[in-house]
Amino acid sequence: MLALPPLYPIVDPAVVRDGRDPVDRARSLARAVLSGGAKILQLRMKGGPGGADAGDVLAAAKALRRLTRDAGCLFIVNDRVDIALLADADGVHVGQEDLPCVEVRRLVGSRRLVGVSTHTVDEARAAEADGADYIGFGPMYPTATKTDTRPQRTLDLLSEVKAAVGIPLVAIGGITEARIRDVRAAGADSVAVISAIMAARDPAAATRALGRLAAAS
Amino acid sequence: MLALPPLYPIVDPAVVRDGRDPVDRARSLARAVLSGGAKILQLRMKGGPGGADAGDVLAAAKALRRLTRDAGCLFIVNDRVDIALLADADGVHVGQEDLPCVEVRRLVGSRRLVGVSTHTVDEARAAEADGADYIGFGPMYPTATKTDTRPQRTLDLLSEVKAAVGIPLVAIGGITEARIRDVRAAGADSVAVISAIMAARDPAAATRALGRLAAAS
């Protein structure tokens, strides 16, 4: 069974628009997150119109692979299995509209992790049956980083989902310092954080503070 | 050396919006194109915001793989190498902003084809040096199917590019019945067609007519 670090930072360079190119931004955000002590890190760069070019996502993934390896940090790539393989990531994370878990597993084998975003008990059970190593569950709170989110989940539903599966659960969606304790108490093995780190004035300090809270609660 | 069929239809279900879901639309467009005699076919379903879900692209790719195999037609998937592998496509086609040709080759091996979109002599030479099996070249004429196209290329430049590389060249971008002869005469081994087939009242008949013209010119 995978032991997930209690804090799961997601690096999404689109959250911060500072004029630099997205690859540079991803790299410097990852450096900050790692210096804040992260032991798992996901790269999320959505493609498509107005989004990131796959070539840039691969460049960022390779850069983050080097940084995370040096830091002894697990490295997960969102959505694109081809990029996860080329960057030699430790795993890939997919949503319900991405490639199905069983197909992802065919490509990545048993050595790499597969995480699946879920929103209901049924989706969580299906992900486990399909061989996911962990599930994401949310959104727990209002969040600005996803435009197409479903309605918020409740802490009670989180507990139900946690009870329904044997694999680790990562809570996601609008989780801040003030909310970590509740989410962990409801059963989250780990908490994914995007905005509270990406948009922080000092992302390294934010990672450190959130990581301490997550570990202590 | 790959011998490309002279007509290269691209199935892009986003070109036609008929209320059906994109997977159904892709399947019926592919059926029409195959009944029109196509011997190579590319599936292009762009992802991202407002675009296709990767799960749908995979479903369409698997459906088209079955249809093309039965018809003895080469099947190429645009952009997503992971989906090309999972669908057992004959190849993958990437643009300059997609995954680099050498990286794509690492994933698909030598058994599958890699096509690369190019717009200049330098890009064409680089694609060949990187191991592409064929290049796309365009856009030759104004086209409605790409929002971010570069300025039109000329027939003279097509001839220059053709002379600069040893691999087959597929001309693309706004190619219609009236333009096939010019493009072929300038050196195109094959002509890629999207709108003139996708938006035709009878896509099978359009494929047949374009295929005859392409073969005869």
Side-chain angles (χ1 to χ4, degrees):
Chain A
M1 172 71 67
L2 170 70
L4 274 184
L7 182 72
Y8 186 149
I10 297 177
V11 168
D12 183 344
V15 175
V16 199
R17 303 232 177 237
D18 61 2
R20 279 186 300 172
D21 90 355
V23 180
D24 282 347
R25 212 153 57 212
R27 198 187 283 115
S28 76
L29 287 165
R31 276 208 189 93
V33 163
L34 291 170
S35 84
K39 290 298 162 198
I40 187 168
L41 178 164
Q42 181 187 132
L43 173 65
R44 181 155 92 180
M45 289 171 74
K46 291 290 182 190
D53 292 333
D56 283 348
V57 181
L58 177 61
K62 288 186 163 193
L64 269 56
R65 171 69 291 183
R66 282 188 293 272
L67 295 169
T68 49
R69 188 165 276 148
D70 292 347
C73 174
L74 287 171
F75 176 52
I76 310 290
V77 169
N78 186 274
D79 181 23
R80 293 278 305 229
V81 182
D82 40 12
I83 293 174
L85 290 171
L86 287 170
D88 193 25
D90 297 304
V92 63
H93 186 95
V94 289
Q96 293 290 321
E97 286 78 28
D98 295 332
L99 298 180
C101 182
V102 288
E103 302 277 6
V104 174
R105 183 64 74 192
R106 282 178 58 199
L107 288 178
V108 303
S110 57
R111 199 171 62 81
R112 289 182 224 271
L113 302 172
V114 180
V116 177
S117 296
T118 68
H119 316 87
T120 64
V121 169
D122 284 349
E123 286 179 0
R125 285 205 176 110
E128 181 171 37
D130 288 347
D133 293 290
Y134 72 87
I135 53 165
F137 178 76
M140 296 308 303
Y141 302 99
T143 160
T145 54
K146 277 207 153 186
T147 49
D148 61 339
T149 46
R150 291 148 215 254
Q152 273 175 238
R153 311 287 96 176
T154 62
L155 291 168
D156 283 349
L157 187 57
L158 191 163
S159 301
E160 256 186 77
V161 168
K162 172 65 188 164
V165 295
I167 52 178
L169 181 155
V170 184
I172 187 166
I175 299 174
T176 57
E177 284 197 27
R179 289 161 172 165
I180 280 188
R181 195 183 310 267
D182 286 350
V183 171
R184 289 277 279 162
D189 300 285
S190 179
V191 291
V193 176
I194 309 180
S195 301
I197 294 175
M198 296 299 105
R201 200 170 311 174
D202 183 343
T207 304
R208 205 170 297 115
L210 289 159
R212 269 201 213 107
L213 269 171
S217 56
Chain B
M1 171 70 66
L2 169 69
L4 273 184
L7 182 72
Y8 187 148
I10 297 177
V11 168
D12 183 344
V15 175
V16 199
R17 303 233 177 235
D18 61 2
R20 279 186 300 172
D21 90 355
V23 180
D24 282 347
R25 212 153 55 211
R27 197 187 285 115
S28 75
L29 286 166
R31 276 209 189 95
V33 163
L34 291 170
S35 85
K39 290 297 162 200
I40 187 168
L41 177 165
Q42 180 187 135
L43 174 65
R44 180 155 92 179
M45 289 172 75
K46 290 291 183 190
D53 292 332
D56 283 348
V57 181
L58 177 61
K62 287 184 165 195
L64 269 55
R65 170 70 290 184
R66 281 188 294 272
L67 295 170
T68 50
R69 187 165 277 147
D70 291 346
C73 173
L74 287 170
F75 177 52
I76 310 290
V77 169
N78 186 274
D79 180 23
R80 293 278 304 231
V81 183
D82 40 12
I83 292 173
L85 291 170
L86 287 170
D88 193 25
D90 298 303
V92 63
H93 186 95
V94 289
Q96 293 290 320
E97 286 79 28
D98 295 332
L99 297 180
C101 182
V102 288
E103 303 277 6
V104 174
R105 183 64 74 192
R106 282 178 57 200
L107 288 178
V108 303
S110 56
R111 197 172 62 80
R112 289 182 224 271
L113 303 172
V114 180
V116 177
S117 297
T118 68
H119 316 86
T120 64
V121 169
D122 284 350
E123 285 179 0
R125 285 205 176 110
E128 181 171 38
D130 288 347
D133 293 291
Y134 73 88
I135 53 165
F137 178 76
M140 296 309 303
Y141 302 99
T143 160
T145 54
K146 277 205 152 187
T147 49
D148 61 342
T149 45
R150 291 147 216 254
Q152 273 175 237
R153 313 286 96 177
T154 63
L155 291 167
D156 283 348
L157 187 56
L158 190 163
S159 301
E160 255 186 77
V161 168
K162 172 64 188 164
V165 296
I167 52 179
L169 181 156
V170 184
I172 188 166
I175 298 174
T176 57
E177 283 197 28
R179 289 159 173 168
I180 280 188
R181 194 183 309 268
D182 285 351
V183 171
R184 289 276 280 163
D189 300 286
S190 179
V191 290
V193 175
I194 309 180
S195 300
I197 293 175
M198 296 298 106
R201 199 169 312 173
D202 183 343
T207 304
R208 205 169 298 117
L210 288 159
R212 268 200 212 108
L213 269 171
S217 56

